[in-house]
Amino acid sequence: MMATGEPRAKKIKLEEKKIGQNALFGMGNPLLDICAVVDKDFLDKYALKPNDQILAEDKHKAMFEEVVKKFKVEYHAGGATQNSMKVAQWMIQKPPKVATFFGCIGKDRFGEILKEKAKEAHVDARYYEQSVEPTGTCAACITGDNRSLVANLAAANCYKKEKHLDLEENWKFVEKAKVFYIAGFFLTVSMESILKVAKHASENNKIFGMNLSAPFICKDFKDSLLKVMPYVDVLFGNETEAATFAREQGFETEDIEEIAKKTQSLPKVNKKRQRIVVFTQGKEGTVMTKGDKVETFPVLQIEESKIVDTNGAGDAFVGGFLSELVQDSPLEECIRAGHYAANVIIRHVGCTIAEKPDFQLLCLSFKISQAHIMMEPCKHFT
Ligand SMILES: Nc1ncnc2c1ncn2[C@@H]1O[C@H](COP(=O)(O)OP(=O)(O)OP(=O)(O)O)[C@@H](O)[C@H]1O
Ligand SMILES: *[C@@H]1O[C@H](CO)[C@@H](O)[C@H](O)[C@H]1NC(C)=O
Ligand SMILES: *[C@@H]1O[C@H](CO)[C@@H](O)[C@H](O)[C@H]1NC(C)=O
Ligand SMILES: *[C@@H]1O[C@H](CO)[C@@H](O)[C@H](O)[C@H]1NC(C)=O
């Protein structure tokens, strides 16, 4: 009995895992990542430090066109939420377009490239295209082992609910989705859009996920964050963000498990789902609430020497987690998938520019597309 029973059970499980297109919905700031190996003169011209992460100021505006003219560049679809969508889609593999992504871009060449790149990642990107601001960009200027990131949100800041989300042809993708994810960064762009999606999720007992995203979001956008919180079913954050959030909320504890519990018990609209709080802590275990309890789950161990770059590990973790959540997997599986995806991202040999094969660019999006070619995530994962 056992011998015949077991494979059948497995088969049923596989069939259950079949997942619909557009089941996962993300909305955020689409950025075209532009990776290039530059020289010191270029860094100096724009007063860039070799190792840094900044927002573009007026003096940097000309830099994006110049880097493309002067150097050989690699383009990738980027931005935190879009990255998480790409990772989720990469983990799921088939069918394509399980992940939908909304955001705002410009009607320009960079916008066209972004559309192409999202397509290559099999993400169903449906951008609001406007002609006032240019497509958002993030330049990764590489010198040696150093990388200077300069982000210019531009069009990403211009997302408008009435111009895009409200339109029937777009809203139908919200209706189609089962799991939603919006990083906290988007609170600075379109609060109305977030609330509309969050309320839809709550009213239809679907899952709405959010990310604390950065200490400044927990501090300067505290009120917006608290307005959305009652709709949040899954809240992500790293330890630094959790600590800032706790301080701002007056939780009076620095213990991360206690912070998770207190965050979990903040007011909630949809009482059919208890909130899940997930805090990553780099190489330390990931804290997750389960019901009224809280547990810490160890990450995949990795030798220090194998870590190329931990940047983007958080986005990858979220993508992995969502890839299982959207398949109704148990939370332990979601965490496991998150750790797996983060582990691939931090150890993967970064972008290698064709002419310089031993040159490692440390660029998240490229790592993902590389990994796409090099390994079958599901085989390794399960
Ligand atoms: N040193 C490390 N060793 C093992 N795993 C790591 C390490 N750093 C990161 N990770 C993996 O990445 C996940 C997320 O890491 P972390 O908490 O540092 O995110 P983060 O600070 O938001 O990263 P980033 O902001 O750079 O994207 C961890 O849960 C873990 O799985
Ligand atoms: C990388 O940056 C460090 C300082 O941040 C500097 O000492 C080092 O020379 C840089 N390497 C290259 C190859 O530019
Ligand atoms: C957590 O993320 C923030 C950015 O939001 C980053 O500055 C910080 O270094 C991260 N913390 C850790 C411990 O990795
Ligand atoms: C989102 O959450 C992850 C995981 O908890 C965290 O590491 C990361 O810093 C957050 N990132 C963004 C960009 O929202």
Side-chain angles (χ1 to χ4, degrees), residues 87 91 236 278 280 286 299-300 313-324 331-345 381:
V87 172
M91 289 288 283
F236 299 99
V278 187
T280 58
T286 299
V299 303
L300 290 170
D315 299 343
F317 173 86
V318 171
F321 191 99
L322 294 174
S323 74
E324 286 295 320
L331 292 174
E332 286 79 2
E333 279 302 291
C334 300
I335 287 259
R336 209 162 75 84
H339 286 159
Y340 171 82
N343 184 272
V344 171
I345 290 302
F381 174 62

Side-chain angles (χ1 to χ4, degrees), residues 238 280-283 286 299-300 302 307 310-314 339 342 346:
N238 75 3
T280 58
Q281 314 186 78
K283 67 171 181 294
T286 299
V299 303
L300 290 170
I302 176 167
I307 300 180
T310 62
N311 220 294
H339 286 159
I346 63 179

Side-chain angles (χ1 to χ4, degrees), residues 261-291:
K261 273 198 206 166
K262 292 205 166 176
T263 308
Q264 197 257 23
S265 61
L266 289 172
K268 194 161 183 304
V269 172
N270 179 6
K271 306 267 194 298
K272 287 186 208 141
R273 293 183 188 279
Q274 206 162 13
R275 180 178 298 119
I276 301 156
V277 178
V278 187
F279 291 146
T280 58
Q281 314 186 78
K283 67 171 181 294
E284 306 301 328
T286 299
V287 172
M288 179 171 73
T289 61
K290 275 183 71 190

Side-chain angles (χ1 to χ4, degrees), residues 3-242:
T4 51
E6 212 204 357
R8 188 173 303 147
K10 265 194 187 142
K11 197 163 168 232
I12 288 166
K13 196 159 175 247
L14 272 178
E15 275 161 11
E16 273 170 4
K17 289 251 167 179
K18 214 180 250 173
I19 170 173
Q21 291 199 323
N22 305 105
L24 177 63
F25 176 95
M27 183 160 64
N29 299 330
L31 300 180
L32 181 67
D33 285 349
I34 305 173
C35 303
V37 177
V38 303
D39 50 34
K40 191 166 174 306
D41 288 349
F42 188 80
L43 293 184
D44 290 346
K45 179 169 178 190
Y46 291 101
L48 302 177
K49 292 184 199 139
N51 243 322
D52 208 2
Q53 197 162 351
I54 61 166
L55 280 178
E57 295 166 36
D58 280 342
K59 66 178 179 197
H60 299 118
K61 296 274 150 78
M63 194 197 83
F64 296 92
E65 291 294 342
E66 187 176 339
V67 75
V68 172
K69 279 206 194 94
K70 270 206 174 136
F71 305 96
K72 183 180 159 54
V73 302
E74 294 259 6
Y75 294 109
H76 307 285
T81 301
Q82 189 162 235
N83 277 334
S84 295
M85 291 301 115
K86 278 168 65 177
V87 172
Q89 181 65 53
W90 169 64
M91 289 288 283
I92 293 166
Q93 295 271 303
K94 283 202 168 88
K97 297 190 176 179
V98 169
T100 314
F101 179 71
F102 282 14
C104 180
I105 64 171
K107 285 184 180 153
D108 48 22
R109 196 170 77 86
F110 283 165
E112 289 305 312
I113 299 172
L114 190 47
K115 284 193 266 183
E116 200 48 50
K117 292 294 158 181
K119 205 185 220 170
E120 281 172 21
H122 306 292
V123 169
D124 196 2
R126 294 172 176 273
Y127 302 118
Y128 163 45
E129 297 177 37
Q130 49 74 59
S131 37
V132 179
E133 286 288 331
T135 297
T137 42
C138 179
C141 304
I142 324 279
T143 46
D145 286 337
N146 294 324
R147 179 182 59 175
S148 197
L149 295 177
V150 188
N152 181 25
L153 290 188
N157 245 329
C158 303
Y159 190 81
K160 296 278 181 300
K161 174 175 158 294
E162 322 76 62
K163 296 278 173 125
H164 190 262
L165 186 68
D166 287 347
L167 306 188
E168 204 191 321
E169 73 255 36
N170 297 323
W171 185 253
K172 70 174 187 219
F173 287 96
V174 174
E175 290 181 326
K176 223 175 150 187
K178 301 196 308 186
V179 175
F180 302 87
Y181 174 70
I182 303 176
F185 290 131
F186 206 62
L187 288 170
T188 72
V189 176
S190 181
M191 185 64 183
E192 307 88 318
S193 302
I194 298 180
L195 281 174
K196 183 168 181 182
V197 170
K199 284 177 182 164
H200 166 86
S202 189
E203 281 157 12
N204 295 280
N205 194 25
K206 297 175 174 183
I207 301 174
F208 182 79
M210 181 114 203
N211 197 316
L212 294 176
S213 283
F216 84 89
I217 296 287
C218 304
K219 236 192 260 156
D220 306 341
F221 292 87
K222 182 160 89 176
D223 294 345
S224 308
L225 194 54
L226 276 192
K227 252 190 220 141
V228 184
M229 197 57 79
Y231 303 99
V232 175
D233 297 298
V234 187
L235 183 73
F236 299 99
N238 75 3
E239 54 189 314
T240 320
E241 293 147 10

Side-chain angles (χ1 to χ4, degrees), residues 338-355:
H339 286 159
Y340 171 82
N343 184 272
V344 171
I345 290 302
I346 63 179
R347 98 182 121 84
H348 203 82
V349 175
C351 19
T352 314
I353 280 187
E355 293 98 87

